[in-house]
Amino acid sequence: MDFFDVVSVQEAINRLMEAFKEYEFKAEEVSILEATNRILAEDIYSHIDVPEFNRSTVDGYAIKSKDSQGASESVPSLFNILGEVRMGEAAEKEIKSGETMYVPTGGMIPQGADGMVMVEYTEKLDEENLMVYKPIAFNENIILKGDDIRKGERALKRGKRLTPESIGVLAALGISRVKVYKKPKFYIISTGDEIIDLDEELELGKIRDINSYTLYSAIVKLGGEITGKAIVKDDYELLRQQVEKGLDISDIVLISGGSSVGARDYTARVIDSFEGRGVFVHGISIKPGKPTILGEGKGKLIVGLPGHPVSSIIVFGAIIEEFIYKKMEVHNHKLKTKAIMDFNFPSSPGQQTYQMVKLEERDGKTYASPSFGKSGMITLLSNSDGYIIIKPHEEGIYKGEEREVYLL
């Protein structure tokens, strides 16, 4: 593999998917109380109708809707009260023309009734007679059996991230345990003689380890798990030992730094030293993040990320997140919004450019302005709300055009 034989972002993803086409993230069964933010590993089909009976959406009286036509405050419709439906109990009586029963919100609609009059539009003459002052339409104020979910219908699709609303659907179906993908396991390695950890004394020429902490947070946000992290000096054997440790206890090993061409950059050599196909991408036409390495060792993914924090996070989102979500069949996973560009910006020919932007609301519209800075500046990320993608074939972006902004 020649250094910096760059490929497009899409080609890099294609090679990654091909290299790991047989690889599968395993599933596990968990309680729905532990399933929030996990990725569903199976389609969920309903074995019941939801609701299982016609239910009232208001407090009021169940009637035949046609009996209320023409009702008004001056000329009300008169009904015979048969009783009431209690919550949690079946409605045992059948409504005939001119008859009614009181039904609370969520209560079962009696047979024969096809509408609910809100209690505000009624008045009891006595315990047996009711006046209705407003006409209602057919099935008004009623949720019909199966309106929410029909028996046999797919209620939740495999690959869905389970939200509180999704957990509510599972509870409605009586499902207490569900299959989700196991959290992808990552091992993070930061490389470089100059890198020190947070608890070490900062000396002139040294740099605090930023990448492993930003990547740690990105992995947690993704829904992954970190099995360990380490700082390694520029030493081939030390790096290989850490990569081997990571391969044994994780799904993906991330090596931050050491991906560019240089006498002391050992990442590619280390990846090629393990059993497997070794490096299959060394260089991606992405800005920032060109010196990215993708490889395989012992059947696991090894990624050499650029040392600059912004480049590292951009590549993580553009490549690694895409890989994981494609394998788990997750769709529409990126949060995005539309914004009007508040600036002109040229592109880098042949490269897919990720331009950081800030968002601002003005006169009811959302505008995006550029966040400028070098990829080694971590504040470029913290001061930005998202980014836009400029495709390789585009000449740039123009002030006034509307673009999609991917939110951080």
Side-chain angles (χ1 to χ4, degrees), residues 214 309-311 313-314 356 377-386 408:
T214 55
V310 177
S311 303
I313 288 297
I314 289 293
M356 294 291 169
M377 299 169 60
I378 190 61
T379 51
L380 181 57
L381 280 176
S382 63
N383 292 336
S384 302
D385 298 306
L408 294 174

Side-chain angles (χ1 to χ4, degrees), residues 179-223:
K179 282 186 179 180
V180 295
Y181 285 105
K182 289 185 175 181
K183 294 182 178 182
K185 295 181 178 180
F186 290 80
Y187 194 81
I188 306 171
I189 304 170
S190 289
T191 66
D193 291 337
E194 73 282 11
I195 304 299
I196 62 171
D197 212 340
L198 304 187
D199 56 355
E200 297 182 64
E201 184 178 351
L202 183 63
E203 300 174 356
L204 190 62
K206 298 295 184 181
I207 301 172
R208 293 202 190 280
D209 179 21
I210 298 174
N211 282 8
S212 67
Y213 289 93
T214 55
L215 288 169
Y216 195 112
S217 181
I219 290 165
V220 171
K221 183 179 177 182
L222 170 75

Side-chain angles (χ1 to χ4, degrees), residues 246-284:
L247 291 174
D248 290 339
I249 61 174
S250 65
D251 301 301
I252 299 172
V253 176
L254 303 180
I255 306 171
S256 175
S259 58
S260 61
V261 178
R264 299 203 296 173
D265 293 332
Y266 303 119
T267 303
R269 286 173 52 200
V270 166
I271 295 173
D272 285 335
S273 72
F274 291 100
E275 180 181 350
R277 72 179 63 217
V279 175
F280 53 85
V281 169
H282 194 158
I284 302 175

Side-chain angles (χ1 to χ4, degrees), residues 14-211:
N14 291 344
R15 290 189 187 184
L16 181 53
M17 297 305 296
E18 176 63 25
F20 290 91
K21 62 183 178 183
E22 304 298 332
Y23 190 87
E24 292 185 358
F25 290 100
K26 300 188 185 315
E28 62 181 342
E29 188 175 85
V30 300
S31 163
I32 62 172
L33 295 176
E34 302 169 345
T36 302
N37 206 39
R38 300 291 295 274
I39 305 299
L40 192 60
E42 61 180 349
D43 288 327
I44 300 295
Y45 289 90
S46 177
H47 60 285
I48 58 171
D49 286 314
V50 179
E52 295 184 78
F53 52 85
N54 295 347
R55 298 176 61 184
S56 175
T57 62
V58 298
D59 290 332
Y61 289 87
I63 64 172
K64 289 185 178 293
S65 58
K66 64 180 182 181
D67 290 344
S68 69
Q69 298 312 303
S72 65
E73 290 189 8
S74 57
V75 186
S77 296
L78 189 64
F79 292 85
N80 179 33
I81 302 172
L82 300 182
E84 67 177 274
V85 177
R86 298 184 182 277
M87 288 296 295
E89 295 182 6
E92 297 179 350
K93 295 182 179 180
E94 181 177 349
I95 298 295
K96 296 183 175 61
S97 183
E99 296 178 336
T100 187
M101 289 186 73
Y102 176 80
V103 182
T105 301
M108 183 175 180
I109 302 296
Q111 286 291 322
D114 58 26
M116 283 289 302
V117 183
M118 295 175 66
V119 70
E120 294 93 318
Y121 302 113
T122 68
E123 181 181 351
K124 291 175 70 174
L125 289 175
D126 51 42
E127 292 304 313
E128 295 182 353
N129 294 285
L130 179 79
M131 291 189 296
V132 172
Y133 298 113
K134 182 181 179 181
I136 59 170
F138 181 72
N139 286 337
E140 186 171 341
N141 299 324
I142 293 177
I143 296 179
L144 299 176
K145 177 181 178 180
D147 257 0
D148 207 348
I149 305 171
R150 294 197 177 277
K151 185 176 181 179
E153 177 185 348
R154 182 170 65 183
L156 295 173
K157 187 178 181 181
R158 175 185 174 185
K160 179 175 179 56
R161 187 179 293 277
L162 293 172
T163 61
E165 294 77 14
S166 306
I167 301 302
V169 170
L170 294 169
L173 299 178
I175 297 173
S176 61
R177 299 185 67 80
V178 66
K179 282 186 179 180
V180 295
Y181 285 105
K182 289 185 175 181
K183 294 182 178 182
K185 295 181 178 180
F186 290 80
Y187 194 81
I188 306 171
I189 304 170
S190 289
T191 66
D193 291 337
E194 73 282 11
I195 304 299
I196 62 171
D197 212 340
L198 304 187
D199 56 355
E200 297 182 64
E201 184 178 351
L202 183 63
E203 300 174 356
L204 190 62
K206 298 295 184 181
I207 301 172
R208 293 202 190 280
D209 179 21
I210 298 174
N211 282 8

